[in-house]
Amino acid sequence: MNSFEWTEAKTVEDAVARMGGSSVVKAGGLDLLDRMKEGISTPARLVNIRNVAGLDAIREDAKTGLHLGPLVTLAQLDASSLVRRRYTALADAAGHAATPQIRNVATVGGNLLQRPRCWYFRSEDFHCLKKGGDTCFALEGENQYHAIFGNRVCAIVHPSATATALVALGARLELTGPGGKREVALEDFFVTPEKDVRRENSIGEKELITAVRVPPLSQGTRSVYLKQGEKESFDWPVADVAVVLERSGVRCTRASIVLGAAAPVPLRVRAAEEALEGRAVNEETARVAASAAVRGATPLSRNGYKVPIFETLVRRAIMAAA
Amino acid sequence: MSEAQQDKATTNAPASAPTGEPPVPKAAVEEAKKAANKKPEPATRAQLVPAGIVGAKMSEIERAVPLDEPPPLPLNSELKVIGKRVPRVDGRLKVTGAAKYTADVRLPGMLFARMVTSPHPHARIRSIDTSAAEAHRQVRAIHILDRVLGNAELRDKSKELPAKFPIVRFAGQPIAAVAATTQAAADEAARLVKVVYEPLPFVVDMDKAREAGAPLVFPGPADQSGSAGGGGGPAGVKQKGNVRGPVRSGPHGQPPGDVEKGFKEADVIVEGEFRTQVQTHSALETHGVVADWKPEGLTVYSSTQGTGSVRDELAEIFKLKKSQVRVVTEFMGGGFGAKFGAGNYGALATHLSKKAGAPVRLMLDRKDEHLSTGNRPDSVQKLRIGARRDGTLTAIHLQSYGTAGTGTGAGTAGPAQNMYECSHISTEESDVFTHAGPAAAFRAPGHPQGCFALEQLIDELAERLQVDPLALRDKIDKSDARREERRIGAERVNWSRRHAPSADKGAVKRGIGVAQAVWYRLINLDSSVEVRLTRDGSVELLSGVQDIGGGIRTALAQVVAEELGLKPTDITLRIGDTAFPNGPASGGSMTTGSITPAARNAAHKLKLQLLEQVAPALDTTPDHLVMRDGVVSRDLPSTSKAYKSMTFKQAAAKLQTEQIAARASRNDDYGGFVFKNEKDAFGFGIGTYGGVQFVEVAVDTETGIVKVERVVAVHDCGRPINPLALESQINGGVLQGISYALYENRILDRNTGKMVNPNLEQYKIAGSRETPVIETILIEEYVGRNSTDAGGIGEPSTIPTAAAIANAVYNATGVRMYEIPMTPAHVLAALKGGAAKKGVNA
Ligand SMILES: Cc1cc2nc3c(=O)[nH]c(=O)nc-3n(C[C@H](O)[C@H](O)[C@H](O)COP(=O)(O)OP(=O)(O)OC[C@H]3O[C@@H](n4cnc5c(N)ncnc54)[C@H](O)[C@@H]3O)c2cc1C
Ligand code: SF4
């Protein structure tokens, strides 16, 4: 790890003023320090926002919905009875990520902005496309954990579990920069490799996530998050799925289905949603929707096995939300 | 040729008479040499010793026991300390963090070091420029390796163009090291060493390496000198391209029979091709040393399984007397077979300490650990078994290939050669060189691989013969221990409820499987102990033997305490230091069987000395005295008039000198060995260890996830000394076996030859949630071969797990797993391809 300077931000404005160039924000620091230890990120200065007051609230308002401060930890999301009761998919996404120790430190802001886990990206031995090199080593290499959709340029999967759930829940981000605040739908925040292979989202260099908002859910909405890793402890998903179903009687009126660990961005699968909307939710429609969810997948040499797993998880998640 | 025969061949080299002295007849010289070489047979007494399995078949048999051996120990049920569940004497130190491991050693003025390693799998080094690193303000020394330990070496060096620096043969190969005043500075300076490489063609895939025209790892035949305690294949094997072998004999020589004939005699033949992956040792504590070079000698704190073997290797490299090298391992965080030698890191740290005139700490990081310190070779095994209709095996034929990277020793034939009775066995094991880190001995080298194939095919045979897999094993397995273990385990797991393959409805299918182990009774005769008693009643044990986590410290305390009638906590244990009497390396499941008899013998001698001195005060002779519960007394009921006693402390206070001491080494097994290697004092004991494991799994056939829900592990290890520690060992063996079967895999990028998962995140190891209910059952088996009759457990406990899981998966799904790790990718492919991938039945 290179030597670096450590600074403490007192307020959001203070943090924003110190950011940019070779200064980088540190929240929980899990992702950032991992990259620094491997020598793939070499910031000259860390701006610690962990002690900025007022960024760790969880509140709900009937009109505006759920408000999360960026410093809310995954452990807090998992433990909050409010989140668990009303936004179950988010509580489960947070609660099944990583390990208890990591969840105690990991913040939701950092979780959304963490860099990909592609093993070529994470190793200083490989100077790949995403790091400014000229090849993607995964396409013809060891790609068992890589993307099965949108994988023509760079085959990372988006690593954030909370993003999978939050996109399905229609979350929006509040970003604060030198010019003030802006809001963006989380779904539109992520950037595909085709657009810019060097980044995964559109946050500005001097912008901070200052809130995550989930719009109010209509009565009877159910949300489910399912994760399948090779192991249950200390492991990433090979597939994860969030399903949000709004219903009127037995009929599904609105569905939101998102695949995580499938593509470079959390992937909303509209064909699957359409297969449910206006229909009764049962084994048969779940099966049709699940098969629609994986239609058009373009697996690489070693990750074809992920397709049936996604199909299974989507079907099981729909049935669990029914 | 067996190792014993080889040994004779070298020790009988012709003697030449020294010049300038009257000629001595050659025959007389030979006679004298023979006499000197041949140790006089020790005088023995005939003695009855307990033999058999408690609860099954017990008897007494007669053994010729050397006169200086103590009387036989009664069964565990009659003992006070041995065979009881004793918490580790150092447990508190460990859980409170007070125990100091190698990484915790801090010496005044100590420097920190970092290795420079190659990013290329095969390259010639054009130049190394250390000037920028030297200019670093905090750097104190730099050393470039001139020889790489661990890699095999060409038999004929002229086959390769001379090179200024060692040829790089795997990505991660150590090249140099830098010592600086802080770890951060050493890390930084290591990056400043500029190495110019000429990359060469490489091959990291075993199948590709076998092809004609594959890039060669060595341009001619090469051998790896195995480090003490294991690893490395036999030397001098024929080699073509990257393929070295086949080797047809095992430790007992070539197996008997003519398999062609055997297959002709068979009514049923089963066969299959099985594949296993490379597993890295991944001990929690990485390899590392603190080396402290002083003009008068070298002290090295090392995370090692062999204080003695590290001392010997460093003495050789640095041309020091063994007495000038001291190696210390007070506490150790796991080894599994990869920590016997000095290692490149040990040599580098010592060079750096010598150059800098200061102690140097060099602990490897996780990446170095995965790349360059050893691994379990992979394998592809073609196995064919023939049997008569009644189950009698007529032929076993194994052809196996495995890559130990730049090392040797990828054979898998142990189980096929030793598990079952069969009159025609043929095994052909070949090593395949690849440009990957050299293998090292790994918990039962070759056996988990071999078992994965053998035990699945035995199950398949049972199915073909329409008999229960346990009944078939009862028929073809001559081991009494395993027979009893099968019986006990079947009862515990409730085997009779086991259903036909794939009987469960629904996506999640459950099944039960079984597999068994065979392991050798290896003994290291260079196992010595000193026991001291001081006038204040304190007892000390000293030995070079190191506790690598198995709990030998506690076992030694128990044995000495039992002999002296004390408690284990009464004994002060000083071990893991070559300043003490030589201890055995901890490997091959031989530590307990090697060192506890020496400890008991030393304690017994000490006891005799003490009793000799206190007998007069108790109005009797030593042979009428007993020591128990901290009291020395006449061997009479305490109600008897003539009964007399004193406490152990009072007895010690009567010593004529401040301290008495006794020392003993491991004697030969009573009745001798199958063979004995005089050179490294290594005995191959009569008989084997067994071990049978039953596994229950749940297979999600839609996601391919295999979950082990329960393991019943029934094992034998001679006389159990500390059942508590033994259970820990078995739990560890089972977990490592589960991890091997389902998760672990060293993945090398096929295009660059570099490892893509050199960490503990993507190199996946079973964690808390992958841990099933593990029920361990120990049987007590007495063989009467030494004064404690104890054996080992480390290796047998991990051998059968993967095979048992595979058999359980078959029982759950009706599909056989021919490849591990059984990841969702493999399982889904097998379920889909099912029949297509099935081994061909003749
Ligand atoms: C073994 C292991 C397993 C894991 N498994 C999972 C898993 O299953 N699912 C999962 O989702 N994650 C998993 N993780 C990742 C972990 O959850 C993330 O690393 C963590 O959430 C990052 O949060 P942090 O607060 O530590 O981020 P940091 O490391 O502090 O920050 C990450 C990045 O975001 C930036 N940043 C942070 N906060 C803000 C902000 N408010 N505004 C602007 N920029 C900001 C930082 O500059 C940095 O670049 C795993 C990690 C490990 C080590
Ligand atoms: S998938 Fe993306 S991050 Fe990984 S090697 Fe390819 S370009 Fe780099």
Side-chain angles (χ1 to χ4, degrees):
Chain A
M1 194 187 318
N2 61 304
S3 323
F4 58 87
E5 186 194 342
W6 175 283
T7 63
E8 287 283 341
K10 304 265 174 340
T11 61
V12 169
E13 295 66 39
D14 187 18
V16 169
R18 291 169 196 244
M19 286 167 69
S22 55
S23 295
V24 170
V25 160
K26 181 224 144 255
L30 288 166
D31 182 54
L32 186 59
L33 284 162
D34 263 0
R35 281 184 270 128
M36 290 170 68
K37 281 191 268 181
E38 184 62 25
I40 52 176
S41 296
T42 52
R45 183 154 71 148
L46 300 195
V47 181
N48 185 28
I49 58 167
R50 202 71 211 246
N51 300 315
V52 174
L55 292 184
D56 59 355
I58 303 181
R59 352 176 247 278
E60 195 187 29
D61 176 298
K63 275 227 287 296
T64 53
L66 179 70
H67 166 104
L68 302 173
L71 295 183
V72 168
T73 64
L74 301 190
Q76 283 172 302
L77 287 177
D78 181 28
S80 155
S81 55
L82 164 66
V83 177
R84 182 153 291 287
R85 198 176 61 244
R86 306 259 298 139
Y87 310 88
T88 318
L90 178 59
D92 277 338
H96 286 89
T99 68
Q101 292 95 325
I102 291 172
R103 294 196 292 271
N104 283 337
V105 177
T107 67
V108 65
N111 189 266
L112 292 172
L113 295 175
Q114 60 176 309
R115 304 294 317 269
R117 305 303 298 198
C118 165
W119 44 33
Y120 298 105
F121 174 74
R122 289 275 161 175
S123 163
E124 61 170 348
D125 291 347
F126 297 92
H127 189 57
C128 76
L129 214 52
K130 192 172 256 314
K131 291 187 277 192
D134 51 15
T135 23
C136 168
F137 292 91
L139 293 183
E140 305 292 326
E142 309 307 317
N143 49 37
Q144 45 268 61
Y145 302 123
H146 284 78
I148 56 168
F149 287 99
N151 51 10
R152 288 227 324 276
V153 176
C154 153
I156 61 152
V157 295
H158 200 277
S160 168
T162 59
T164 307
L166 286 167
V167 169
L169 289 165
R172 300 178 69 78
L173 298 182
E174 176 193 275
L175 303 167
T176 305
K181 293 183 197 290
R182 67 175 174 118
E183 236 191 61
V184 56
L186 187 59
E187 194 181 343
D188 303 329
F189 176 65
F190 297 109
V191 171
T192 61
E194 281 81 359
K195 282 219 189 90
D196 185 350
V197 74
R198 300 295 300 271
R199 58 191 310 156
E200 295 85 46
N201 54 58
S202 58
I203 198 164
E205 207 194 21
K206 290 173 80 60
E207 269 185 329
L208 211 57
I209 297 182
T210 41
V212 181
R213 297 211 172 91
V214 184
L217 303 175
S218 69
Q219 201 61 34
T221 299
R222 307 247 317 247
S223 71
V224 168
Y225 169 88
L226 292 182
K227 164 180 173 174
Q228 188 63 67
E230 289 184 326
K231 300 185 296 165
E232 276 182 57
S233 26
F234 203 79
D235 203 5
W236 296 84
V238 293
D240 63 346
V241 169
V243 168
V244 181
L245 297 186
E246 279 175 41
R247 283 177 315 166
S248 147
V250 291
R251 273 189 337 132
C252 166
T253 52
R254 217 177 73 81
S256 175
I257 301 178
V258 177
L259 312 185
V265 298
L267 191 68
R268 212 167 148 189
V269 277
R270 307 237 183 247
E273 296 170 358
E274 281 159 17
L276 284 183
E277 281 166 356
R279 297 195 171 80
V281 181
N282 54 36
E283 273 290 346
E284 182 47 35
T285 51
R287 202 171 287 281
V288 172
S291 116
V294 294
R295 198 166 304 135
T298 53
L300 304 166
S301 57
R302 306 242 156 151
N303 66 5
Y305 74 98
K306 288 176 62 161
V307 177
I309 297 180
F310 271 109
E311 193 174 344
T312 302
L313 288 199
V314 171
R315 193 189 76 237
R316 290 181 182 175
I318 292 171
M319 289 312 292
Chain B
M1 186 157 68
S2 76
E3 285 185 49
Q5 287 165 329
Q6 272 178 8
D7 205 48
K8 261 189 214 124
T10 49
T11 50
N12 284 355
S16 59
T19 47
E21 280 173 37
V24 182
K26 219 173 163 197
V29 173
E30 286 298 309
E31 262 320 288
K33 279 212 95 169
K34 259 193 208 144
N37 280 344
K38 196 167 164 257
K39 275 204 224 133
E41 286 294 325
T44 59
R45 61 175 188 264
Q47 183 162 65
L48 286 176
V49 296
I53 297 166
V54 172
K57 206 164 66 183
M58 276 307 296
S59 62
E60 282 197 315
I61 49 172
E62 195 180 283
R63 292 263 189 252
V65 173
L67 291 181
D68 59 350
E69 287 274 315
L73 272 180
L75 301 187
N76 273 357
S77 56
E78 292 162 49
L79 297 176
K80 296 248 166 174
V81 193
I82 289 178
K84 303 295 170 284
R85 303 170 68 83
V86 176
R88 284 165 199 258
V89 291
D90 49 7
R92 204 186 163 77
L93 293 178
K94 289 185 174 181
V95 298
T96 58
K100 292 284 172 259
Y101 291 78
T102 301
D104 300 318
V105 172
R106 291 289 181 279
L107 301 177
M110 188 179 84
L111 303 173
F112 296 79
R114 170 90 215 164
M115 295 202 299
V116 177
T117 60
S118 168
H120 300 287
H122 192 195
R124 251 169 199 280
I125 297 177
R126 286 245 174 271
S127 64
I128 302 180
D129 176 4
T130 57
S131 55
E134 273 160 43
H136 192 289
R137 183 167 62 75
Q138 289 166 284
V139 168
R140 295 291 175 271
I142 299 176
H143 184 80
I144 299 172
L145 275 182
D146 56 8
R147 187 186 157 207
V148 180
L149 302 170
N151 282 357
E153 289 177 340
L154 277 169
R155 256 170 243 167
D156 174 1
K157 300 260 181 321
S158 71
K159 293 258 189 230
E160 194 158 58
L161 283 177
K164 185 156 175 230
F165 304 103
I167 302 281
V168 170
R169 298 191 210 273
F170 68 92
Q173 180 173 307
I175 292 168
V178 181
T181 52
T182 64
Q183 189 64 56
D187 294 353
E188 206 171 287
R191 287 171 189 266
L192 297 176
V193 175
K194 289 277 158 291
V195 184
V196 179
Y197 300 93
E198 176 196 337
L200 300 170
F202 64 88
V203 60
V204 292
D205 179 84
M206 175 172 60
D207 294 339
K208 295 222 171 78
R210 283 168 64 187
E211 287 168 9
L216 292 179
V217 179
F218 296 97
D223 293 317
Q224 179 193 29
S225 46
S227 63
V237 174
K238 77 166 189 219
Q239 184 180 327
K240 191 162 171 241
N242 290 316
V243 181
R244 196 177 176 281
V247 173
R248 290 174 204 277
S249 60
H252 294 288
Q254 189 153 332
D258 167 0
V259 280
E260 285 319 310
K261 195 159 158 259
F263 283 116
K264 282 202 191 100
E265 292 167 12
D267 299 319
V268 180
I269 295 173
V270 286
E271 60 190 311
E273 186 176 298
F274 299 85
R275 281 179 181 264
T276 64
Q277 79 283 29
V278 171
Q279 180 188 23
T280 66
H281 297 68
S282 296
L284 206 51
E285 182 188 31
T286 59
H287 288 65
V289 297
V290 176
D292 189 10
W293 181 283
K294 293 259 167 58
E296 64 275 16
L298 168 69
T299 303
V300 174
Y301 302 85
S302 175
S303 174
T304 182
Q305 299 174 241
T307 50
S309 43
V310 173
R311 173 200 56 204
D312 295 355
E313 200 167 350
L314 287 173
E316 191 187 313
I317 298 171
F318 291 93
K319 313 235 164 359
L320 294 168
K321 291 183 199 145
K322 288 187 184 179
S323 61
Q324 289 176 296
V325 183
R326 180 175 167 209
V327 177
V328 182
T329 305
E330 213 189 339
F331 291 97
M332 210 267 204
F336 310 118
K339 288 184 179 170
F340 288 114
N344 293 304
Y345 57 93
L348 281 166
T350 306
H351 279 295
L352 290 171
S353 175
K354 190 175 170 185
K355 283 184 176 171
V360 172
R361 173 190 191 269
L362 177 47
M363 293 302 296
L364 300 191
D365 69 6
R366 192 51 64 183
K367 184 173 176 184
D368 292 330
E369 189 72 12
H370 279 297
L371 295 178
S372 65
T373 63
N375 53 66
R376 181 188 298 286
D378 61 8
S379 74
V380 47
Q381 307 169 56
K382 267 197 189 132
L383 182 63
R384 202 163 176 238
I385 299 177
R388 292 221 180 80
R389 218 154 268 130
D390 69 356
T392 311
L393 300 187
T394 60
I396 300 177
H397 183 202
L398 172 71
Q399 272 179 307
S400 94
Y401 293 87
T403 181
T406 56
T408 63
T412 63
Q417 288 170 351
N418 297 297
M419 187 97 74
Y420 295 110
E421 186 144 276
C422 176
S423 36
H424 305 287
I425 301 178
S426 161
T427 58
E428 302 166 51
E429 306 168 284
S430 298
D431 285 342
V432 183
F433 285 120
T434 54
H435 290 100
F442 192 163
R443 209 165 187 171
H447 279 241
Q449 300 99 295
C451 226
F452 178 68
L454 179 68
E455 288 294 276
Q456 285 209 75
L457 216 48
I458 291 292
D459 257 35
E460 193 163 321
L461 179 62
E463 192 177 5
R464 285 286 302 280
L465 295 169
Q466 296 180 335
V467 297
D468 183 279
L470 294 177
L472 176 62
R473 287 176 173 87
D474 280 342
K475 162 102 191 165
I476 60 179
D477 182 2
K478 292 294 162 235
S479 154
D480 289 336
R482 277 193 300 263
R483 181 179 308 277
E484 183 63 5
E485 286 159 356
R486 282 191 298 272
R487 188 187 67 72
I488 294 172
E491 206 174 290
R492 174 68 73 93
V493 82
N494 194 0
W495 179 260
S496 56
R497 79 195 144 96
R498 181 173 176 269
H499 55 53
S502 190
D504 284 347
K505 304 273 171 291
V508 177
K509 298 183 189 300
R510 293 194 154 72
I512 308 179
V514 68
Q516 42 184 43
V518 61
W519 188 248
Y520 321 99
R521 290 178 185 269
L522 304 172
I523 297 299
N524 186 333
L525 293 162
D526 244 336
S527 301
S528 304
V529 162
E530 183 171 317
V531 184
R532 294 176 181 168
L533 169 63
T534 304
R535 236 185 231 148
D536 67 350
S538 57
V539 179
E540 243 178 306
L541 175 144
L542 300 92
S543 173
V545 68
Q546 54 291 312
D547 192 335
I548 66 167
I552 196 63
R553 201 181 245 114
T554 308
L556 289 169
Q558 286 176 272
V559 168
V560 173
E562 183 76 50
E563 193 62 28
L564 300 180
L566 299 172
K567 296 195 290 293
T569 45
D570 293 332
I571 318 297
T572 299
L573 294 134
R574 299 190 195 285
I575 63 169
D577 190 334
T578 56
F580 305 141
N582 201 82
S586 297
S589 299
M590 37 184 158
T591 315
T592 309
S594 298
I595 193 82
T596 57
R600 177 162 183 244
N601 293 11
H604 185 71
K605 276 195 207 168
L606 184 88
K607 173 169 149 182
L608 294 183
Q609 287 181 45
L610 174 66
L611 295 183
E612 189 78 37
Q613 297 197 27
V614 301
L618 294 168
D619 301 333
T620 186
T621 52
D623 51 325
H624 288 107
L625 290 173
V626 290
M627 291 170 68
R628 65 169 83 95
D629 301 329
V631 172
V632 184
S633 71
R634 294 189 61 171
D635 191 8
L636 296 167
S638 56
T639 47
S640 147
K641 265 223 193 90
Y643 180 81
K644 259 194 135 171
S645 72
M646 62 174 81
T647 63
F648 181 80
K649 268 198 136 160
Q650 289 166 336
K654 294 206 176 302
L655 287 178
Q656 287 143 23
T657 52
E658 172 63 19
Q659 190 177 62
I660 57 171
R663 197 177 157 145
S665 298
R666 178 67 155 85
N667 278 326
D668 280 7
D669 268 7
Y670 307 160
F673 293 107
V674 177
F675 65 80
K676 190 163 116 180
N677 214 354
E678 300 285 356
K679 192 176 87 231
D680 50 13
F682 171 80
F684 214 99
I686 296 166
T688 55
Y689 301 119
V692 179
Q693 294 182 0
F694 294 79
V695 170
E696 295 184 38
V697 298
V699 184
D700 186 330
T701 54
E702 290 176 343
T703 60
I705 294 288
V706 175
K707 181 105 189 151
V708 177
E709 299 189 317
R710 181 183 180 209
V711 177
V712 173
V714 199
H715 285 270
D716 57 280
C717 57
R719 175 199 299 273
I721 301 284
N722 185 0
L724 192 60
L726 282 161
E727 281 168 19
S728 293
Q729 283 277 293
I730 297 171
N731 286 338
V734 167
L735 284 176
Q736 206 163 33
I738 292 174
S739 205
Y740 176 58
L742 302 183
Y743 312 112
E744 296 186 41
N745 196 0
R746 181 196 68 182
I747 303 170
L748 300 181
D749 179 50
R750 60 191 111 155
N751 300 310
T752 61
K754 300 175 194 188
M755 184 174 176
V756 290
N757 56 343
N759 47 49
L760 292 183
E761 177 199 334
Q762 285 149 326
Y763 182 89
K764 303 190 177 187
I765 297 184
S768 53
R769 285 178 174 274
E770 284 67 56
T771 302
V773 175
I774 304 174
E775 294 162 52
T776 58
I777 304 171
L778 277 170
I779 65 168
E780 255 175 72
E781 187 189 27
Y782 295 88
V783 292
R785 296 276 173 207
N786 61 68
S787 67
T788 62
D789 220 3
I793 196 72
E795 286 161 301
S797 63
T798 206
I799 292 172
T801 317
I805 294 172
N807 280 337
V809 168
Y810 179 79
N811 182 241
T813 63
V815 173
R816 212 157 261 305
M817 294 303 302
Y818 289 94
E819 185 165 355
I820 47 173
M822 295 175 231
T823 55
H826 282 150
V827 173
L828 289 175
L831 290 173
K832 200 167 154 201
K837 251 197 114 186
K838 243 183 124 156
V840 208
N841 283 345

